Amino acid sequence: MPIDEADHGPLPAQRELRSGSSPWSVGPPVRSVSLKKSTRCEVAVVGSGITGSLCAEALTGAGKSVIVVDRLPPGTLSTAASTSMLLWELDTSLAELSASHGFDKAARLYKRSFAAVEELGKFIAANGIECGFAARPSLYLADEGGTADLAAEETARRRAGLPGELLSAAALERRFRMRRPGAILSSGAAEADPLCLARSVLAAAAERGALVVRDEVISYAWDAHAAHLELAEGREIEAGHVILATGYDMPDFLDPPIHRVQSTWCFATAPERTERLWPEHALVWEAADPYLYARTTPAGRIIAGGEDEPIADAGQRREMSPEKIERLLAKMRKLWPEADYAVEHAWSAAFGTTEDGLPLIGRVPGAPRLLAAYGYGGNGITFSFLASRILAAMIDGEGRAWFDDFAIDRDPPPSAG
Ligand SMILES: Cc1cc2nc3c(=O)[nH]c(=O)nc-3n(C[C@H](O)[C@H](O)[C@H](O)COP(=O)(O)OP(=O)(O)OC[C@H]3O[C@@H](n4cnc5c(N)ncnc54)[C@H](O)[C@@H]3O)c2cc1C
């Protein structure tokens, strides 16, 4: 069942982080309640998208009492807008990340991302979650001008022990029937239905006792021992820890300098005949800025997105939609002329990124009881999974030096000035 505005009613202008409808199924029902009186728990999670749901699952799995608060039905904001290409390749190439962070650290970060996709797949299989999860190759195309140095990227990956086979233009055309100056073909990626995944994970957490509350957090307070959430309907939650998983709607007191919000546009076709889809159901993206991204679905749809703009205003985003969708269609018809492209869903959304392409995960500076999980960028869902594991460990008092790689107050990468 597609999800659209009717599922949550109109959003306040500054909160309208997506418009239009996407093709995802809603997954299992998750019961949410209103709090009748103020209460306390070990961990309160603000946000029930994929990030909050994975955090709630990890924490209930560790035996914690958990309350998840969201002013919307679970998963219906950015998670419902996601194209859900579960890539381990970051928005910042390994070669670029090596230039700013040094090769060893860049390789370590890439391997962390690779392992997160692998672990997410194992987690979904172990819990029998039916969300269209499937392993897929990823195809990173050279842009049409062929300017990106894919050979240097492939060399860096080989040195790091990561997958990546350089395809010449001829090899790309033979195997995928796509015309570009070249590509890197990699294993280890996957796809899923993001809304169904998020709701299935939240349902599992609820079954283990997580309470899902439909309300809005209107203020946060904290001391050395606890954090306090004030809810719009008048109740309060006191929690040992609070996880902020509010997606691209960050509370005002969190304003990391390396983060920015932009806009992106997507469409999904009606199911195409199988022979009209490209080989191997590869996840396709390109070495261009902004880049085009595209995948297929088990139902035979083509989903494509991109045309990103550095704007955050929802009105502007909506106004630009017809033109942006036309441009995406023109790009896709050129890349893959074999499909029909009967557009059944079109949507636009806010999209958060960081200057180094890494997520923001960890303690909120100056607020010892608040932790944040902002899995930004094209690897948002991969990072949500990583965040859920890191934060559950932090709450249990476990620290690892590498957690600092994602610290919210880390410095911008040197090359970004
Ligand atoms: C168009 C698009 C395409 C994408 N494609 C990919 C992709 O291919 N692969 C990938 O890995 N990632 C992708 N991403 C990124 C990924 O989808 C996101 O990182 C991820 O969905 C974010 O999930 P979240 O749970 O953090 O946020 P959301 O799903 O936005 O959830 C946050 C929740 O917090 C709630 N909330 C916020 N403030 C409050 C408050 N004060 N009180 C109560 N509730 C509150 C909101 O109502 C919302 O439900 C894409 C994103 C977009 C928009």
Side-chain angles (χ1 to χ4, degrees):
M1 185 202 293
I3 190 123
D4 59 27
E5 281 87 350
D7 296 301
H8 55 60
L11 296 171
Q14 76 279 17
R15 299 261 159 84
E16 193 191 307
L17 295 175
R18 76 169 176 85
S19 4
S21 80
S22 58
W24 307 121
S25 60
V26 291
V30 182
R31 188 171 161 264
S32 57
V33 299
S34 289
L35 276 186
K36 300 271 181 290
K37 57 183 177 55
S38 296
T39 186
R40 75 171 315 281
C41 60
E42 285 174 284
V43 187
V45 179
V46 189
S48 65
I50 185 66
T51 312
S53 300
L54 284 164
C55 288
E57 191 282 333
L59 291 159
T60 52
K64 301 277 186 288
S65 64
V66 174
I67 297 179
V68 180
V69 189
D70 202 311
R71 58 187 157 75
L72 296 176
T76 53
L77 206 56
S78 306
T79 296
S82 186
T83 45
S84 203
M85 295 167 48
L86 308 177
L87 294 166
W88 55 265
E89 297 157 284
L90 308 182
D91 287 345
T92 310
S93 72
L94 178 56
E96 277 173 295
L97 202 63
S98 301
S100 56
H101 289 65
F103 176 78
D104 289 345
K105 184 169 178 184
R108 193 172 75 217
L109 287 161
Y110 255 73
K111 284 181 171 170
R112 199 73 68 198
S113 177
F114 186 88
V117 179
E118 198 171 50
E119 291 299 316
L120 176 59
K122 285 185 191 160
F123 163 80
I124 288 170
N127 289 281
I129 296 174
E130 286 178 22
C131 61
F133 180 91
R136 299 287 184 226
S138 102
L139 197 55
Y140 179 53
L141 300 171
D143 65 343
E144 290 185 83
T147 49
D149 195 349
L150 293 194
E153 180 63 9
E154 191 241 10
T155 305
R157 290 201 197 167
R158 197 151 12 91
R159 188 174 157 209
L162 288 162
E165 177 193 349
L166 196 58
L167 298 184
S168 66
L172 176 67
E173 191 164 0
R174 238 185 349 263
R175 185 156 164 185
F176 290 97
R177 307 200 298 279
M178 290 181 184
R179 286 193 185 170
R180 283 293 176 92
I184 296 180
L185 176 66
S186 309
S187 57
E191 65 180 32
D193 175 327
L195 181 60
C196 181
L197 171 60
R199 290 221 177 153
S200 304
V201 170
L202 190 59
E207 225 163 81
R208 282 207 292 248
L211 185 67
V212 182
V213 172
R214 179 85 178 265
D215 209 331
E216 176 165 8
V217 176
I218 52 171
S219 80
Y220 297 83
W222 57 86
D223 55 34
H225 312 288
H228 305 265
L229 303 180
E230 186 189 349
L231 305 184
E233 289 186 11
R235 316 282 177 243
E236 284 190 9
I237 299 174
E238 182 187 306
H241 290 92
V242 166
I243 293 184
L244 302 169
T246 57
Y248 306 137
D249 188 1
M250 265 189 190
D252 294 339
F253 57 82
L254 250 190
D255 190 16
I258 62 168
H259 153 247
R260 56 182 178 267
V261 175
Q262 56 192 48
S263 292
T264 190
W265 286 263
C266 303
F267 72 78
T269 66
E272 306 266 354
R273 293 207 306 276
T274 314
E275 65 275 15
R276 293 187 180 253
L277 300 174
W278 53 83
E280 302 177 41
H281 303 285
L283 309 180
V284 179
W285 58 304
E286 56 176 358
D289 187 17
Y291 60 78
L292 175 73
Y293 46 97
R295 57 166 281 197
T296 60
T297 72
R301 299 179 194 278
I302 289 175
I303 297 185
E307 284 294 311
D308 298 9
E309 293 279 353
I311 56 163
D313 180 79
Q316 243 182 315
R317 195 159 56 228
R318 252 180 290 128
E319 237 168 68
M320 294 168 86
S321 283
E323 183 199 332
K324 290 291 189 182
I325 299 299
E326 273 314 309
R327 289 172 73 139
L328 282 172
L329 273 166
K331 282 186 177 172
M332 283 305 296
R333 284 197 177 104
K334 190 161 182 205
L335 179 67
W336 184 252
E338 300 181 29
D340 284 336
Y341 294 106
V343 173
E344 212 169 77
H345 299 274
W347 66 102
S348 62
F351 187 72
T353 59
T354 58
E355 281 178 30
D356 53 13
L358 301 174
L360 302 160
I361 303 169
R363 291 191 190 284
V364 173
R369 295 280 156 176
L370 296 195
L371 300 126
Y374 292 103
Y376 286 155
N379 310 82
I381 295 174
T382 307
F383 291 153
S384 297
F385 182 75
L386 189 65
S388 68
R389 273 50 196 165
I390 291 177
L391 297 187
M394 281 182 161
I395 288 172
D396 267 343
E398 290 172 35
R400 307 257 195 295
W402 63 265
F403 290 173
D404 289 346
D405 291 344
F406 308 111
I408 290 156
D409 55 350
R410 65 183 181 268
D411 290 328
S415 55

